[in-house]
Amino acid sequence: MNYELIFLAAGQGKRMNAEKNKMWLDLVGEPIFIHALRPFLADNRCSKVIVVCQETERKHVRKLMQQLDVAEDRVEVVKGGSERQYSVAAGLECCGLESVVLVHDGARPFVTLDIIDRLLLGVKQNKAAICAVQVKDTVKRVIHDVVKETVDRDNLWQVQTPQAFELHILQKAHCLAKKDQFLGTDEASLVERIPYPVAIVQGSYYNIKLTTPEDMPLAKAILGELGGKLND
C-alpha cells in the first residue's frame, strides 16, 4: 500500500531551550530531521514527502533534500502554521496522489519500518490507525497539587506518530475542526470528532519525542545501544 507523508518540522524548540529549530540539533553526527525522515525515504511505499517547515527554513530543507539525493518530484516543501494542526492542514492541501496519508512529527527520530508496516495494515483494515504504547507508570489525577484519584492505567495508552488515515477521512476531520474552531492535540483527536473509530497498533517505547534538553542524552543512548538499528 502506497502512501503520502506529511512530515512536520515547523517547531521552534522553545521547550528544548535551543536557539534554533530543534530539527537541526545534532544527534550523533546528523540533525534530528534526518534521523526522523530517513525511514520514510527508505520506504518505496512512500510516494511523496510533504515537509512542513518554517518559511525561513524552506530553502535549507530543499538544499538538504538535494544533498540526500531525493528526487525532486518526491518532495514538496510548504510553509507551516502557527499551530501543529494548521501545519497539517497546509500539508493536506498538497496531498491527493495516494488514498492514504501518514503524519509524522519530525521530533520523533526513532520510527521503524516495523511500525510503518503495522500502521499500513491498521489503516487497510480500519481506515484510521495510530501507533501507541501502554502506560507503564501509575497515573494520578491531580487538582491544585492534591491527588484526587488513581486512574486505572489498564486502558491508558501513550500516543505516538506516525498516524495513518485514508485521505478523505482526515480531510473531513480537518474541515469539521475548522468549522467548529476546534484545536486538537493530534490528528486522531480530530477524526474522533467526525466521529470515526481510530484503531491502535503497537508502537515502540524507543519511539520517543524529543521535547526538552533531558531527552537528548536518552536519544544518544538509544542510538548508541542499538547501533542506529532499531528493532521492536
Side-chain angles (χ1 to χ4, degrees):
M1 176 185 291
N2 290 342
Y3 63 90
E4 294 175 274
L5 172 71
I6 297 176
F7 186 86
L8 302 174
Q12 298 181 1
K14 293 180 179 178
R15 284 180 289 177
M16 188 62 77
N17 295 329
E19 296 181 355
K20 57 184 177 181
N21 187 340
K22 62 185 174 183
M23 295 294 99
W24 313 120
L25 294 178
D26 180 83
L27 180 58
V28 192
E30 290 183 318
I32 293 170
F33 178 93
I34 296 299
H35 288 284
L37 188 56
R38 180 176 285 119
F40 301 100
L41 295 179
D43 187 0
N44 292 330
R45 297 167 298 184
C46 181
S47 58
K48 183 178 180 180
V49 176
I50 302 159
V51 179
V52 187
C53 64
Q54 298 176 30
E55 176 65 28
T56 56
E57 296 177 341
R58 292 174 72 176
K59 290 184 179 179
H60 180 60
V61 170
R62 291 192 183 98
K63 183 178 180 180
L64 192 57
M65 292 298 99
Q66 292 175 350
Q67 293 174 353
L68 292 171
D69 199 26
V70 181
E72 290 187 11
D73 61 353
R74 194 185 180 196
V75 177
E76 188 164 354
V77 183
V78 300
K79 177 184 175 182
S82 60
E83 299 286 348
R84 182 185 191 280
Q85 185 170 313
Y86 305 149
S87 291
V88 175
L92 277 174
E93 292 181 4
C94 303
C95 292
L97 183 64
E98 306 292 348
S99 62
V100 170
V101 59
L102 268 62
V103 180
H104 186 57
D105 292 327
R108 290 187 186 271
F110 302 124
V111 65
T112 65
L113 286 175
D114 286 340
I115 293 175
I116 297 172
D117 287 344
R118 291 194 287 271
L119 274 173
L120 292 179
L121 178 59
V123 78
K124 181 179 180 180
Q125 295 174 337
N126 302 285
K127 300 184 179 181
I130 60 176
C131 58
V133 291
Q134 288 186 286
V135 171
K136 292 181 177 181
D137 297 327
T138 296
V139 178
K140 305 285 187 180
R141 189 172 69 87
V142 177
I143 299 178
H144 301 307
D145 298 327
V146 176
V147 174
K148 294 301 180 182
E149 66 173 324
T150 300
V151 181
D152 183 1
R153 66 185 176 191
D154 288 345
N155 295 317
L156 295 180
W157 291 69
Q158 293 175 264
V159 176
Q160 305 173 342
T161 68
Q163 299 189 357
F165 308 92
E166 286 195 356
L167 178 59
H168 69 96
I169 290 177
L170 189 55
Q171 288 173 329
K172 181 177 179 181
H174 269 265
C175 285
L176 181 62
K178 183 177 181 180
K179 176 183 176 182
D180 295 343
Q181 297 184 329
F182 173 81
L183 193 63
T185 55
D186 67 351
E187 286 58 64
S189 65
L190 306 188
V191 172
E192 292 159 23
R193 296 182 69 250
I194 295 179
Y196 195 89
V198 179
I200 288 285
V201 303
Q202 186 66 41
S204 169
Y205 289 103
Y206 290 120
N207 187 24
I208 63 172
K209 185 175 182 179
L210 305 186
T211 304
T212 64
E214 293 79 12
D215 296 327
M216 294 301 288
L218 178 58
K220 293 175 182 178
I222 291 173
L223 284 177
E225 178 183 349
L226 301 177
K229 297 180 181 179
L230 297 176
N231 296 304
D232 294 337

